[in-house]
Amino acid sequence: MAIDHASPLALKSGGATGGAGCEDEEAENQRWPPWLKPLLATSFFVQCRAHADAHKSECNMYCLDCVNGALCSLCLAHHRDHHAIQIRRSSYHDVIRASEIQRVLDITGVQTYIINSARVVFLNERPQPRPGKGVTNTCEVCERSLLDSFRFCSLGCKIVGTSGGHRPRKKHGGKKKKRAAVKDARSDSEHSCTSTSGGSSDKSSVVQSFSPSTPPATSSSYRAGNKRRKGIPHRSPFGSLIVEY
């Protein structure tokens, strides 16, 4: 009798596991509007292909109903009854006005910025190499410096930070404490080495104290050494010469 190693129970359990993963992904997608992730992945401020010859062909609009990429101002003629939003730019990063995005999306926990007298929200993360001194709160995803009342610096960071499998990064405080402890340990070891070498130098000084030491220089000796000695006087060779007339 042949043994079948492919157990139907194993296949069933594997299918159940795969189904659970799909369910989690579907639940994650249902948390956000269907246009949000495509919006964050869209490249704006490029030339419109349909209106390349037009004067205003820069794509800075997005239709939330069609979700068909960036649009220019001339493309809006085909989206009159749709919900379109305008994307702006600040320091080479895409932003949107908070008053405009709050109508269709909850931005709680995302820090807002005032640029050109308008409150805006950044679309994607802006990693910061090193937080400034005295910073107590950073973004849970990209570690950008934030105010204490916010958790994320952009909409993209909120999506990543609120997902089930995300783990917040460790704060820099732990690293600083470890570095300080290591520095203290090194200073202690250097201090012990210095004291040991000092003890050996004391012993050597005790041994060398049996030999006579050179007396310190005094002011009189210093002057005597610096005073130039006069030479032997010589009489002029013509001093004894008598001139007769």
Side-chain angles (χ1 to χ4, degrees):
M1 180 176 65
I3 300 176
D4 188 7
H5 297 280
S7 174
L9 182 60
L11 294 176
K12 185 176 180 180
S13 61
T17 304
C22 295
E23 290 178 358
D24 294 340
E25 186 176 358
E26 291 178 359
E28 184 68 22
N29 293 332
Q30 290 178 359
R31 293 183 56 189
W32 310 106
W35 49 263
L36 181 56
K37 291 184 178 180
L39 170 66
L40 301 181
T42 303
S43 298
F44 293 94
F45 299 95
V46 296
Q47 190 176 17
C48 180
R49 296 180 179 179
H51 307 91
D53 299 333
H55 178 64
K56 296 181 179 180
S57 61
E58 191 177 48
C59 296
N60 61 342
M61 307 295 296
Y62 192 84
C63 181
L64 303 183
D65 297 328
C66 299
V67 193
N68 57 349
L71 306 173
C72 70
S73 58
L74 300 177
C75 294
L76 294 180
H78 305 284
H79 304 268
R80 292 179 179 177
D81 299 332
H82 297 175
H83 192 175
I85 58 177
Q86 182 179 358
I87 306 300
R88 293 170 170 81
R89 175 156 289 192
S90 174
S91 301
Y92 303 100
H93 293 280
D94 297 334
V95 300
I96 185 174
R97 286 189 175 180
S99 58
E100 192 172 359
I101 194 65
Q102 281 178 338
R103 303 172 185 174
V104 291
L105 183 67
D106 181 17
I107 61 173
T108 303
V110 182
Q111 180 168 325
T112 57
Y113 301 84
I114 298 178
I115 300 176
N116 295 333
S117 67
R119 189 175 297 275
V120 300
V121 176
F122 284 87
L123 297 186
N124 295 295
E125 65 177 14
R126 297 175 298 136
Q128 192 172 7
R130 183 180 301 176
K133 296 182 180 180
V135 176
T136 58
N137 185 36
T138 58
C139 178
E140 296 181 4
V141 178
C142 66
E143 296 187 352
R144 188 168 190 85
S145 303
L146 299 177
L147 298 177
D148 294 337
S149 57
F150 297 99
R151 297 176 55 192
F152 310 103
C153 69
S154 62
L155 299 178
C157 288
K158 182 176 181 178
I159 294 178
V160 177
T162 55
S163 61
H166 174 71
R167 294 182 179 179
R169 296 181 180 180
K170 295 182 180 180
K171 301 296 182 180
H172 292 276
K175 294 183 179 179
K176 290 183 178 180
K177 291 181 180 179
K178 290 182 179 179
R179 292 178 181 176
V182 173
K183 187 176 181 180
D184 294 340
R186 290 181 179 177
S187 61
D188 293 340
S189 61
E190 292 176 359
H191 179 69
S192 60
C193 294
T194 306
S195 60
T196 304
S197 62
S200 60
S201 63
D202 293 341
K203 293 181 180 179
S204 61
S205 63
V206 171
V207 174
Q208 294 176 1
S209 63
F210 289 99
S211 59
S213 59
T214 304
T218 60
S219 60
S220 60
S221 62
Y222 178 78
R223 292 178 181 176
N226 291 342
K227 187 176 182 181
R228 187 175 181 180
R229 184 177 180 180
K230 294 183 179 181
I232 301 174
H234 296 277
R235 185 174 294 179
S236 175
F238 300 96
S240 60
L241 181 62
I242 300 176
V243 179
E244 296 181 356
Y245 293 96

PDB file of all heavy atoms in Angstrom, residues 142-163:
ATOM      1  N   CYS A 142       9.541  57.765   9.894  1.00  0.00           N
ATOM      2  CA  CYS A 142      10.777  58.287   9.305  1.00  0.00           C
ATOM      3  C   CYS A 142      11.619  59.088  10.292  1.00  0.00           C
ATOM      4  O   CYS A 142      12.660  59.617   9.914  1.00  0.00           O
ATOM      5  CB  CYS A 142      10.464  59.145   8.091  1.00  0.00           C
ATOM      6  SG  CYS A 142       9.567  60.674   8.461  1.00  0.00           S
ATOM      7  N   GLU A 143      11.170  59.217  11.558  1.00  0.00           N
ATOM      8  CA  GLU A 143      11.922  59.889  12.626  1.00  0.00           C
ATOM      9  C   GLU A 143      12.178  61.362  12.337  1.00  0.00           C
ATOM     10  O   GLU A 143      13.217  61.912  12.712  1.00  0.00           O
ATOM     11  CB  GLU A 143      13.255  59.172  12.892  1.00  0.00           C
ATOM     12  CG  GLU A 143      13.089  57.762  13.418  1.00  0.00           C
ATOM     13  CD  GLU A 143      14.400  57.141  13.828  1.00  0.00           C
ATOM     14  OE1 GLU A 143      15.447  57.759  13.562  1.00  0.00           O
ATOM     15  OE2 GLU A 143      14.388  56.045  14.400  1.00  0.00           O
ATOM     16  N   ARG A 144      11.263  62.002  11.679  1.00  0.00           N
ATOM     17  CA  ARG A 144      11.390  63.446  11.487  1.00  0.00           C
ATOM     18  C   ARG A 144      10.885  64.165  12.732  1.00  0.00           C
ATOM     19  O   ARG A 144       9.942  63.724  13.380  1.00  0.00           O
ATOM     20  CB  ARG A 144      10.608  63.897  10.259  1.00  0.00           C
ATOM     21  CG  ARG A 144      10.874  65.359   9.910  1.00  0.00           C
ATOM     22  CD  ARG A 144      10.337  65.712   8.545  1.00  0.00           C
ATOM     23  NE  ARG A 144      10.804  67.016   8.124  1.00  0.00           N
ATOM     24  CZ  ARG A 144      11.950  67.260   7.528  1.00  0.00           C
ATOM     25  NH1 ARG A 144      12.757  66.266   7.258  1.00  0.00           N
ATOM     26  NH2 ARG A 144      12.321  68.478   7.190  1.00  0.00           N
ATOM     27  N   SER A 145      11.506  65.293  13.044  1.00  0.00           N
ATOM     28  CA  SER A 145      11.151  66.045  14.242  1.00  0.00           C
ATOM     29  C   SER A 145       9.716  66.562  14.139  1.00  0.00           C
ATOM     30  O   SER A 145       9.316  67.127  13.117  1.00  0.00           O
ATOM     31  CB  SER A 145      12.117  67.222  14.440  1.00  0.00           C
ATOM     32  OG  SER A 145      13.448  66.763  14.513  1.00  0.00           O
ATOM     33  N   LEU A 146       8.959  66.363  15.206  1.00  0.00           N
ATOM     34  CA  LEU A 146       7.557  66.771  15.248  1.00  0.00           C
ATOM     35  C   LEU A 146       7.265  67.484  16.563  1.00  0.00           C
ATOM     36  O   LEU A 146       8.040  67.413  17.516  1.00  0.00           O
ATOM     37  CB  LEU A 146       6.630  65.553  15.120  1.00  0.00           C
ATOM     38  CG  LEU A 146       6.720  64.708  13.852  1.00  0.00           C
ATOM     39  CD1 LEU A 146       5.783  63.518  13.958  1.00  0.00           C
ATOM     40  CD2 LEU A 146       6.397  65.523  12.627  1.00  0.00           C
ATOM     41  N   LEU A 147       6.118  68.131  16.585  1.00  0.00           N
ATOM     42  CA  LEU A 147       5.619  68.667  17.830  1.00  0.00           C
ATOM     43  C   LEU A 147       5.091  67.522  18.695  1.00  0.00           C
ATOM     44  O   LEU A 147       4.801  66.434  18.201  1.00  0.00           O
ATOM     45  CB  LEU A 147       4.511  69.690  17.562  1.00  0.00           C
ATOM     46  CG  LEU A 147       4.921  70.933  16.755  1.00  0.00           C
ATOM     47  CD1 LEU A 147       3.705  71.821  16.512  1.00  0.00           C
ATOM     48  CD2 LEU A 147       6.020  71.715  17.459  1.00  0.00           C
ATOM     49  N   ASP A 148       4.958  67.779  19.981  1.00  0.00           N
ATOM     50  CA  ASP A 148       4.616  66.708  20.912  1.00  0.00           C
ATOM     51  C   ASP A 148       3.222  66.142  20.691  1.00  0.00           C
ATOM     52  O   ASP A 148       2.944  65.019  21.116  1.00  0.00           O
ATOM     53  CB  ASP A 148       4.741  67.219  22.353  1.00  0.00           C
ATOM     54  CG  ASP A 148       6.185  67.558  22.709  1.00  0.00           C
ATOM     55  OD1 ASP A 148       7.091  67.018  22.048  1.00  0.00           O
ATOM     56  OD2 ASP A 148       6.390  68.365  23.638  1.00  0.00           O
ATOM     57  N   SER A 149       2.347  66.875  20.053  1.00  0.00           N
ATOM     58  CA  SER A 149       0.958  66.425  19.909  1.00  0.00           C
ATOM     59  C   SER A 149       0.702  65.638  18.633  1.00  0.00           C
ATOM     60  O   SER A 149      -0.443  65.271  18.355  1.00  0.00           O
ATOM     61  CB  SER A 149       0.008  67.635  19.946  1.00  0.00           C
ATOM     62  OG  SER A 149       0.351  68.560  18.921  1.00  0.00           O
ATOM     63  N   PHE A 150       1.736  65.317  17.850  1.00  0.00           N
ATOM     64  CA  PHE A 150       1.552  64.607  16.576  1.00  0.00           C
ATOM     65  C   PHE A 150       2.381  63.324  16.570  1.00  0.00           C
ATOM     66  O   PHE A 150       3.364  63.185  17.311  1.00  0.00           O
ATOM     67  CB  PHE A 150       1.962  65.496  15.396  1.00  0.00           C
ATOM     68  CG  PHE A 150       1.132  66.734  15.246  1.00  0.00           C
ATOM     69  CD1 PHE A 150       1.585  67.962  15.722  1.00  0.00           C
ATOM     70  CD2 PHE A 150      -0.116  66.681  14.657  1.00  0.00           C
ATOM     71  CE1 PHE A 150       0.822  69.099  15.596  1.00  0.00           C
ATOM     72  CE2 PHE A 150      -0.893  67.820  14.526  1.00  0.00           C
ATOM     73  CZ  PHE A 150      -0.423  69.030  14.996  1.00  0.00           C
ATOM     74  N   ARG A 151       1.962  62.406  15.686  1.00  0.00           N
ATOM     75  CA  ARG A 151       2.650  61.106  15.574  1.00  0.00           C
ATOM     76  C   ARG A 151       3.333  60.920  14.224  1.00  0.00           C
ATOM     77  O   ARG A 151       4.301  60.166  14.140  1.00  0.00           O
ATOM     78  CB  ARG A 151       1.639  59.975  15.774  1.00  0.00           C
ATOM     79  CG  ARG A 151       0.980  59.919  17.139  1.00  0.00           C
ATOM     80  CD  ARG A 151      -0.064  58.820  17.174  1.00  0.00           C
ATOM     81  NE  ARG A 151       0.502  57.526  16.792  1.00  0.00           N
ATOM     82  CZ  ARG A 151      -0.246  56.447  16.526  1.00  0.00           C
ATOM     83  NH1 ARG A 151      -1.573  56.531  16.573  1.00  0.00           N
ATOM     84  NH2 ARG A 151       0.338  55.318  16.198  1.00  0.00           N
ATOM     85  N   PHE A 152       2.827  61.574  13.183  1.00  0.00           N
ATOM     86  CA  PHE A 152       3.342  61.353  11.834  1.00  0.00           C
ATOM     87  C   PHE A 152       3.586  62.704  11.156  1.00  0.00           C
ATOM     88  O   PHE A 152       2.955  63.708  11.493  1.00  0.00           O
ATOM     89  CB  PHE A 152       2.365  60.513  11.003  1.00  0.00           C
ATOM     90  CG  PHE A 152       1.916  59.254  11.695  1.00  0.00           C
ATOM     91  CD1 PHE A 152       0.656  59.173  12.272  1.00  0.00           C
ATOM     92  CD2 PHE A 152       2.753  58.156  11.769  1.00  0.00           C
ATOM     93  CE1 PHE A 152       0.241  58.021  12.928  1.00  0.00           C
ATOM     94  CE2 PHE A 152       2.357  57.002  12.425  1.00  0.00           C
ATOM     95  CZ  PHE A 152       1.093  56.935  13.002  1.00  0.00           C
ATOM     96  N   CYS A 153       4.489  62.681  10.173  1.00  0.00           N
ATOM     97  CA  CYS A 153       4.820  63.903   9.447  1.00  0.00           C
ATOM     98  C   CYS A 153       4.107  64.001   8.116  1.00  0.00           C
ATOM     99  O   CYS A 153       4.168  65.043   7.460  1.00  0.00           O
ATOM    100  CB  CYS A 153       6.339  63.975   9.222  1.00  0.00           C
ATOM    101  SG  CYS A 153       6.964  62.749   8.050  1.00  0.00           S
ATOM    102  N   SER A 154       3.437  62.941   7.657  1.00  0.00           N
ATOM    103  CA  SER A 154       2.786  62.954   6.342  1.00  0.00           C
ATOM    104  C   SER A 154       1.689  61.905   6.316  1.00  0.00           C
ATOM    105  O   SER A 154       1.569  61.060   7.225  1.00  0.00           O
ATOM    106  CB  SER A 154       3.809  62.670   5.233  1.00  0.00           C
ATOM    107  OG  SER A 154       4.378  61.385   5.405  1.00  0.00           O
ATOM    108  N   LEU A 155       0.897  61.943   5.246  1.00  0.00           N
ATOM    109  CA  LEU A 155      -0.167  60.957   5.081  1.00  0.00           C
ATOM    110  C   LEU A 155       0.409  59.562   4.837  1.00  0.00           C
ATOM    111  O   LEU A 155      -0.129  58.565   5.327  1.00  0.00           O
ATOM    112  CB  LEU A 155      -1.069  61.368   3.913  1.00  0.00           C
ATOM    113  CG  LEU A 155      -1.784  62.718   4.042  1.00  0.00           C
ATOM    114  CD1 LEU A 155      -2.608  63.007   2.793  1.00  0.00           C
ATOM    115  CD2 LEU A 155      -2.672  62.737   5.278  1.00  0.00           C
ATOM    116  N   GLY A 156       1.493  59.494   4.080  1.00  0.00           N
ATOM    117  CA  GLY A 156       2.114  58.194   3.827  1.00  0.00           C
ATOM    118  C   GLY A 156       2.636  57.552   5.095  1.00  0.00           C
ATOM    119  O   GLY A 156       2.521  56.330   5.276  1.00  0.00           O
ATOM    120  N   CYS A 157       3.202  58.345   5.986  1.00  0.00           N
ATOM    121  CA  CYS A 157       3.698  57.798   7.246  1.00  0.00           C
ATOM    122  C   CYS A 157       2.552  57.316   8.126  1.00  0.00           C
ATOM    123  O   CYS A 157       2.703  56.337   8.872  1.00  0.00           O
ATOM    124  CB  CYS A 157       4.522  58.842   7.983  1.00  0.00           C
ATOM    125  SG  CYS A 157       6.139  59.167   7.225  1.00  0.00           S
ATOM    126  N   LYS A 158       1.414  57.969   8.054  1.00  0.00           N
ATOM    127  CA  LYS A 158       0.267  57.515   8.845  1.00  0.00           C
ATOM    128  C   LYS A 158      -0.234  56.164   8.350  1.00  0.00           C
ATOM    129  O   LYS A 158      -0.596  55.297   9.157  1.00  0.00           O
ATOM    130  CB  LYS A 158      -0.855  58.554   8.788  1.00  0.00           C
ATOM    131  CG  LYS A 158      -2.056  58.158   9.639  1.00  0.00           C
ATOM    132  CD  LYS A 158      -3.120  59.228   9.667  1.00  0.00           C
ATOM    133  CE  LYS A 158      -4.279  58.790  10.558  1.00  0.00           C
ATOM    134  NZ  LYS A 158      -5.337  59.823  10.664  1.00  0.00           N
ATOM    135  N   ILE A 159      -0.234  55.954   7.046  1.00  0.00           N
ATOM    136  CA  ILE A 159      -0.668  54.656   6.516  1.00  0.00           C
ATOM    137  C   ILE A 159       0.262  53.547   6.990  1.00  0.00           C
ATOM    138  O   ILE A 159      -0.175  52.479   7.427  1.00  0.00           O
ATOM    139  CB  ILE A 159      -0.726  54.713   4.978  1.00  0.00           C
ATOM    140  CG1 ILE A 159      -1.821  55.677   4.521  1.00  0.00           C
ATOM    141  CG2 ILE A 159      -0.978  53.325   4.396  1.00  0.00           C
ATOM    142  CD1 ILE A 159      -1.905  55.824   3.016  1.00  0.00           C
ATOM    143  N   VAL A 160       1.563  53.803   6.907  1.00  0.00           N
ATOM    144  CA  VAL A 160       2.533  52.785   7.322  1.00  0.00           C
ATOM    145  C   VAL A 160       2.515  52.606   8.837  1.00  0.00           C
ATOM    146  O   VAL A 160       2.556  51.485   9.348  1.00  0.00           O
ATOM    147  CB  VAL A 160       3.947  53.181   6.844  1.00  0.00           C
ATOM    148  CG1 VAL A 160       4.984  52.175   7.332  1.00  0.00           C
ATOM    149  CG2 VAL A 160       3.984  53.266   5.334  1.00  0.00           C
ATOM    150  N   GLY A 161       2.423  53.701   9.575  1.00  0.00           N
ATOM    151  CA  GLY A 161       2.506  53.631  11.024  1.00  0.00           C
ATOM    152  C   GLY A 161       1.291  53.011  11.688  1.00  0.00           C
ATOM    153  O   GLY A 161       1.406  52.474  12.792  1.00  0.00           O
ATOM    154  N   THR A 162       0.145  53.085  11.057  1.00  0.00           N
ATOM    155  CA  THR A 162      -1.074  52.521  11.645  1.00  0.00           C
ATOM    156  C   THR A 162      -1.398  51.138  11.119  1.00  0.00           C
ATOM    157  O   THR A 162      -2.437  50.577  11.467  1.00  0.00           O
ATOM    158  CB  THR A 162      -2.264  53.455  11.363  1.00  0.00           C
ATOM    159  OG1 THR A 162      -2.375  53.682   9.941  1.00  0.00           O
ATOM    160  CG2 THR A 162      -2.092  54.780  12.077  1.00  0.00           C
ATOM    161  N   SER A 163      -0.529  50.562  10.292  1.00  0.00           N
ATOM    162  CA  SER A 163      -0.761  49.209   9.804  1.00  0.00           C
ATOM    163  C   SER A 163      -0.466  48.197  10.908  1.00  0.00           C
ATOM    164  O   SER A 163       0.276  48.484  11.859  1.00  0.00           O
ATOM    165  CB  SER A 163       0.117  48.917   8.580  1.00  0.00           C
ATOM    166  OG  SER A 163       1.491  49.029   8.907  1.00  0.00           O
TER     167      SER A 163
END
